[in-house]
Amino acid sequence: MANSAGSRKRARQAEKRRQHNASLRSMVRTYIKKVAAAIDSGDKAAAAEALKVAQPIMDSSVNKGIFSKNKIARSKSRMNARIKAMA
């Protein structure tokens, strides 16, 4: 357990930041799942629209340091490829 006042404050700040980051990470994952669900349903227009909504949210998560740049780029690339491959 933290002893000094400064280290107690740091522990509080770290916990608050952890919860905030977890919330943002969860939100991004939800949008990714929405795109995947639209792709699985077979509706190309709905899938493209879901990706269009998800992309800026995914990009902002990179800027906030929630996910790495390469992970989000890879996810977007794979989703885009799956949408283009639809009939």
Side-chain angles (χ1 to χ4, degrees):
M1 183 61 207
N3 290 321
S4 68
S7 58
R8 281 195 292 271
K9 180 177 179 179
R10 272 293 178 199
R12 287 195 306 271
Q13 288 175 327
E15 179 59 20
K16 189 179 282 189
R17 200 173 300 116
R18 185 190 68 79
Q19 289 178 349
H20 184 251
N21 288 345
S23 168
L24 293 175
R25 195 177 308 117
S26 173
M27 181 183 68
V28 171
R29 287 177 178 156
T30 300
Y31 276 96
I32 290 172
K33 286 176 191 169
K34 286 179 182 177
V35 175
I39 290 170
D40 291 339
S41 73
D43 187 356
K44 188 172 183 176
E49 187 60 33
L51 182 61
K52 190 175 173 184
V53 170
Q55 273 185 329
I57 293 164
M58 293 165 74
D59 290 334
S60 70
S61 73
V62 170
N63 293 335
K64 293 172 185 176
I66 306 299
F67 288 106
S68 75
K69 181 179 75 170
N70 286 352
K71 177 181 171 60
I72 294 300
R74 184 174 63 241
S75 297
K76 290 193 304 187
S77 174
R78 287 178 180 171
M79 286 188 286
N80 211 7
R82 285 180 68 190
I83 290 171
K84 284 184 176 178
M86 295 171 81

